[in-house]
């Protein structure tokens, strides 16, 4: 199910001429010269004055340790920014060169980068591309690229476009009851199905059908998205005790038959066929299988168990397969956040783990409409006062204590780069990203207005960063956090929506031991006196005190989030 219109590029093999240029054949082939490389140039989004494009290079000649792709525009297109490549332009001529982390291009290997540009008049696809001086292909049509058509039936490319989003009455009532809470009580938030009982309603609360019926009422004659969080894997949250679940590590059959199957049956009811149902599939699960397993220093015994038994992969695959069968369900898989997966040894491995799960238990990549970053986390959407390429006092920003050699400094750059990485390994080229902005505003009096002092790379970064946590590994009820960007559709290239998937005011976990029947443990990362562990580089936890169990209403946190909102609340 493609969400973009691909500009069809016909491959053109060079014939050795008077220059004596030799064409490397594809291994295993003989005879006529083989196509040395192909380029897939897609205009993903286009509006009156601008566009975004994705470019995939496939190398069919000898392996490369670096690469440079060149093309020329026939019109007045201008590249304004790029990602996953260094994209420069001189007149009509454009050059895209590899970044330090994606220069290797094996024989038969591919890499993808993207960029944003401006234009007026027509936006024709370039006629010729050269990779390191060798012509790869030519455009078979050469005409302007039109916006992608919607897929057949009621399914759309971006479910958030042109649609209202469901306001959960239960959350809205709590928000409105807080002093000043009426300012945001009408914002859409996710509905968390965090245990089997939530399907039928917990303690007299709304059931899944109740929410869907209310969504139909809110929908009226227009379009409406309802956001559901699928969150009940066996051995859930193997590295975070605060959000442990009801199912033991081996109870995969219960997950399938008592949790996913009933949810699928309800969502497949034709009564709800007119809703756009967005599912966020299993928060904080698959990344644990990359970062918190042996021999990593951050490994936990519980995560080692879940990797060994395969039940995270099986559970996510089963959920994608079953829920993906419902025509009006749009599955988005949790993709951690930049402060978790942005490092070289986590980034690519996590993408591969996502694909493993997306092709398990009968699922295919077609069952994945996109991915979601920063769910229930605090990573800043965009850091304006420093970037990964800055150098201060002879050191790169990557060497600062805060960035600590990460490739990304904020969620927007991470989400866009991860999207390209996922496309490069086989996910649909039109997948979209969601970013949870419910608690990453970091406004208030402490919000920096410019970069820090240039006396050292640490003073430069620390003085300018919006994210005021002690460490990006801190995740529980963070002190000083604020509401972020309000939910909105198509805010940036490759981003389907900013969402408030985590309802503001719901606790991440108890700050002390609280007996409960919800399967939730006590995690020291929720204790404000805790001095940390390897997963947060042994920093203080930064958590608020007097916090209730995860998912329970936390009035003090809600008030702080409003106070520190950015953009500010009026």
């Amino acid at each position: 199910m493609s969400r973009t219109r691909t500009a069809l590029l016909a491959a053109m093999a060079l014939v050795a001429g008077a220059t004596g240029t030799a064409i490397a054949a594809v291994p295993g082939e003989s005879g006529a010269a083989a196509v040395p490389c192909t380029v897939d140039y897609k205009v993903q989004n286009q509006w009156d004055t601008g566009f975004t494009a994705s470019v995939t290079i496939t190398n069919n000649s000898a392996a490369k340790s670096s690469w440079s792709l060149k093309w020329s525009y026939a019109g007045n297109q201008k590249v304004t920014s790029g990602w996953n490549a260094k994209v420069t332009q001189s007149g009509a001529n454009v050059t895209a060169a590899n970044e330090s982390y994606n220069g290797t291009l094996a024989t038969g290997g591919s890499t993808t980068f993207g960029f944003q540009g401006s234009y007026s008049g027509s936006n024709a696809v370039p006629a010729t591309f050269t990779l390191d001086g060798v012509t790869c292909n030519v455009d078979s049509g050469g005409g302007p690229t039109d916006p992608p058509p919607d897929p057949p039936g009621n399914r759309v490319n971006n479910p958030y476009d042109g649609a209202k989003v469901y306001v959960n009455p239960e959350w809205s009532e709590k928000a409105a009851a807080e002093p000043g809470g009426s300012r945001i009580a009408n914002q859409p938030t996710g509905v968390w199905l965090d245990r089997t009982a939530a399907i039928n309603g917990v303690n007299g609360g709304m059931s899944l059908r109740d929410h869907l019926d209310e969504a139909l009422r809110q929908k009226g004659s227009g379009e409406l998205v309802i956001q559901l969080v699928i969150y009940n894997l066996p051995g859930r949250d193997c590295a975070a005790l605060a959000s442990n679940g009801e199912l033991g590590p081996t109870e995969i059959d219960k997950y399938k038959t008592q949790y996913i199957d009933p949810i699928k049956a309800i969502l497949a009811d034709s009564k709800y066929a007119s809703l756009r149902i967005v599912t966020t599939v299993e928060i904080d699960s698959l990344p644990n299988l990359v970062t918190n397993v042996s021999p990593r220093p951050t490994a936990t015994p519980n995560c080692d168990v879940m990797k060994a038994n395969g039940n995270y992969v099986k559970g996510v695959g089963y959920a994608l397969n079953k829920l993906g069968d419902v025509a009006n369900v749009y599955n988005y898989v949790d993709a951690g956040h930049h402060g978790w997966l942005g490092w070289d040894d986590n980034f690519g491995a996590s993408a591969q783990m996502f694909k493993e799960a997306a092709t398990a238990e009968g699922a295919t990549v077609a069952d994945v409409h996109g991915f979601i970053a920063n769910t229930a986390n605090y990573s800043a959407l965009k850091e304006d006062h420093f970037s990964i390429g800055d150098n201060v006092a002879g050191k790169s920003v990557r060497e600062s204590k805060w960035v600590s050699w990460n490739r990304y400094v904020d969620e927007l750059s991470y989400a866009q780069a991860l999207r390209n990485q996922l496309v490069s390994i086989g996910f649909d080229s039109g997948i979209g990203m969601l970013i949870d902005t419910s608690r990453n505003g970091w406004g208030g009096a402490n919000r920096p207005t410019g970069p820090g002092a240039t006396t050292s790379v640490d003073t430069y970064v620390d003085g300018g960063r919006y994210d005021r946590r002690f460490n990006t590994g801190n995740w529980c009820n963070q002190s000083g956090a604020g509401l972020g960007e309000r939910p909105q559709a198509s805010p940036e290239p490759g981003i389907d929506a900013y969402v408030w998937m985590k309802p503001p005011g719901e606790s991440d976990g108890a700050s002390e031991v609280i007996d409960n029947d919800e399967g939730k443990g006590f995690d020291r990362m929720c204790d404000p006196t805790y001095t940390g562990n390897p997963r947060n580089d042994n920093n203080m936890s930064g958590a608020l005190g007097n916090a209730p169990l995860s998912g329970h209403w936390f009035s003090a946190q809600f008030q702080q989030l409003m106070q520190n909102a950015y953009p500010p609340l009026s």
Side-chain angles (χ1 to χ4, degrees), residues 472-485:
T472 56
N474 288 357
W475 54 265
C476 193
N477 300 325
Q478 289 300 285
S479 177
L483 301 168
E485 290 285 345

Side-chain angles (χ1 to χ4, degrees), residues 82-86 98-104 337-348 383 386-390 396-418 421 472:
W83 48 92
N84 269 14
K86 300 181 181 75
N98 64 276
E99 296 282 7
S100 60
Y101 54 86
N102 64 354
T104 300
H337 57 91
H338 89 276
W340 186 357
L341 303 182
W343 284 270
D344 292 344
D345 53 354
N346 297 344
F347 189 78
E383 293 285 7
F386 65 98
S387 68
I388 206 68
D390 292 349
S396 161
V397 156
R398 292 190 69 204
E399 297 179 71
S400 67
K401 182 178 178 182
W402 172 254
V403 177
S404 187
W405 296 103
N406 201 319
R407 288 281 178 197
Y408 307 97
V409 301
D410 53 35
E411 284 307 290
L412 182 57
S413 62
Y414 166 74
Q416 289 174 324
L418 180 61
Q421 177 72 15
T472 56

Side-chain angles (χ1 to χ4, degrees), residues 16-101:
T19 60
T21 303
I23 304 302
V26 177
E29 293 188 353
S30 59
V35 177
C37 46
T38 59
V39 173
D40 192 8
Y41 179 109
K42 299 184 181 75
V43 174
Q44 296 179 299
N45 295 288
Q46 182 169 302
W47 55 98
D48 290 345
T49 60
F51 67 102
T52 61
S54 175
V55 182
T56 298
I57 307 167
T58 301
N59 174 41
N60 294 323
S61 58
K64 299 175 180 292
S65 59
S66 63
W67 51 264
S68 176
L69 184 74
K70 296 184 178 182
W71 69 88
S72 296
Y73 283 119
N76 61 1
Q77 297 97 323
K78 298 292 183 185
V79 174
T80 56
S81 63
W83 48 92
N84 269 14
K86 300 181 181 75
V87 187
T88 57
Q89 184 168 356
S90 176
N93 302 318
V94 181
T95 300
N98 64 276
E99 296 282 7
S100 60
Y101 54 86

Side-chain angles (χ1 to χ4, degrees), residues 447-461:
R447 183 178 176 86
T449 57
T454 56
T455 50
S456 73
V457 71
D458 285 325
T459 57
Y460 175 73
V461 170

